Amino acid sequence: QLQASGGGTVQPGGSLRLSCAASEGTLNDWTIAWFRQAPGKEREAVAYIGTSGLEKRYGDIVKGRFTISRDRAKNTVYLQMNSLKPEDTAVYYCASRANRLILSAWHLPRHWPYWGQGTLVTVSS
């Protein structure tokens, strides 16, 4: 099971770092993505990282502000979020899959079979 953590309340312009870990086994052989969902909105893609950690993709909404990374020694994937805006307020989920994914499809939730429980990020003054 995936476990997302690190959410909280932060002022606009602030930063947070989310973590995605596995309660059992290793994440190191899995492709990981972060999605988010705000109330009344569809789930949207935030970031993607391949197993090597070198292959990354970002949603247009977060490019230049968010960074995805993985620490293989800690078996954890991180999402560093900087310059946060009120519109970044959402529940953030990490998702995984074992097989390689065509990168043009990474942003589609239906291609991710395993999901964590989500962590709430609130950006408010």
Side-chain angles (χ1 to χ4, degrees):
Q1 278 190 322
L2 298 176
Q3 295 179 331
S5 62
T9 300
V10 64
Q11 291 187 341
S15 299
L16 280 175
R17 188 177 76 164
L18 306 184
S19 300
C20 178
S23 57
E24 296 180 358
T26 176
L27 282 182
N28 292 340
D29 296 329
W30 295 68
T31 304
I32 304 294
W34 286 96
F35 289 80
R36 70 186 188 188
Q37 189 165 20
K41 294 188 176 181
E42 293 186 352
R43 193 164 295 190
E44 59 183 354
V46 175
Y48 159 100
I49 189 166
T51 54
S52 70
L54 299 177
E55 199 169 56
K56 302 178 184 180
R57 294 293 186 274
Y58 296 94
D60 290 340
I61 49 176
V62 303
K63 278 183 181 176
R65 300 188 297 124
F66 291 11
T67 302
I68 190 170
S69 63
R70 66 192 314 158
D71 185 329
R72 300 181 70 83
K74 294 184 178 181
N75 195 28
T76 301
V77 171
Y78 300 102
L79 183 68
Q80 177 67 44
M81 307 186 296
N82 298 329
S83 303
L84 283 162
K85 306 174 182 179
E87 51 264 43
D88 294 319
T89 296
V91 177
Y92 284 71
Y93 300 89
C94 58
S96 69
R97 56 178 289 133
N99 300 320
R100 184 176 174 82
L101 178 67
I102 297 174
L103 285 180
S104 60
W106 79 269
H107 63 288
L108 299 173
R110 66 175 182 267
H111 290 303
W112 298 88
Y114 306 108
W115 293 79
Q117 83 288 0
T119 184
L120 177 62
V121 172
T122 302
V123 184
S124 174
S125 56

